Amino acid sequence: MAPTDGYWGKVTSTIDWCEENYVVNRYVAEFWNTISNSIMIFAPMFSVYLAVKQNLEKPVICSNMSVIVVGVGSWAFHMTLQYSMQLLDELPMIWGSAFLIYGILMIESKEGETNKQLLAFLFCYAAVVTAVYLINKKSSLS
């Protein structure tokens, strides 16, 4: 049976179902999930490098940067199984998805054109999801 606590202490995340904890070493709670996140970090890093080198549009660079943030957050979450790192995993997915949705819906717009209503809607959606996520965790701790 795998140990329940490792270097990072007691598991505080609301989700712990991916693999047995601390089987490979005491510093990484979910070793294989942590390692598999490297592709979500290094592939978009290479894409950012190529986009900058080829002088591509900023949304291409920002989209890849948002995937890097999700990858780093997921890496930290699966490594520690701490609630704060779970937030670093899940909330960037919400905000990054909102950014990507905006980019997809604006793909045929004129250069420099913005859709303020769409921006406001996506921002409010991500903010509400974030607030609900934080409030629900706080109420479950009480």
Side-chain angles (χ1 to χ4, degrees), residues 1 9 46 56 64 82 84 91 109 111-112 119-120 126 129 132 140:
M1 189 168 172
F46 185 64
L56 296 181
N64 281 287
Q82 297 297 299
S84 58
L91 294 179
S109 63
E111 188 174 333
L119 276 173
V129 169
V132 167
S140 68

Side-chain angles (χ1 to χ4, degrees), residues 71-86:
V72 169
S74 189
W75 175 287
F77 168 56
H78 289 288
M79 183 171 66
T80 66
L81 289 179
Q82 297 297 299
Y83 179 70
S84 58
M85 297 300 111
Q86 183 178 352

Side-chain angles (χ1 to χ4, degrees), residues 89-103:
D89 176 33
E90 294 178 5
L91 294 179
M93 289 182 207
I94 302 298
W95 289 92
S97 294
F99 180 82
L100 293 171
I101 289 167
Y102 182 80

Side-chain angles (χ1 to χ4, degrees), residues 13-134:
S13 66
T14 60
I15 300 172
D16 179 11
W17 48 265
C18 292
E19 64 185 86
E20 287 188 76
N21 300 342
Y22 299 106
V23 171
V24 175
N25 68 51
R26 69 181 300 260
Y27 298 101
V28 180
E30 295 178 338
F31 185 81
W32 298 111
N33 281 312
T34 302
I35 297 303
S36 68
N37 278 295
S38 62
I39 195 73
M40 286 184 64
I41 299 168
F42 296 114
M45 280 180 145
F46 185 64
S47 293
V48 167
Y49 166 76
L50 291 177
V52 169
K53 186 176 178 182
Q54 296 173 14
N55 201 27
L56 296 181
E57 298 171 340
K58 287 181 183 178
V60 173
I61 296 168
C62 291
S63 295
N64 281 287
M65 294 296 288
S66 71
V67 175
I68 292 169
V69 172
V70 171
V72 169
S74 189
W75 175 287
F77 168 56
H78 289 288
M79 183 171 66
T80 66
L81 289 179
Q82 297 297 299
Y83 179 70
S84 58
M85 297 300 111
Q86 183 178 352
L87 291 177
L88 196 60
D89 176 33
E90 294 178 5
L91 294 179
M93 289 182 207
I94 302 298
W95 289 92
S97 294
F99 180 82
L100 293 171
I101 289 167
Y102 182 80
I104 289 168
L105 294 177
M106 294 297 291
I107 204 157
E108 293 188 18
S109 63
K110 296 175 185 166
E111 188 174 333
E113 183 180 358
T114 60
N115 183 332
K116 291 180 183 177
Q117 291 92 355
L118 180 59
L119 276 173
F121 171 76
L122 291 170
F123 178 84
C124 289
Y125 171 77
V128 167
V129 169
T130 300
V132 167
Y133 198 95
L134 295 172

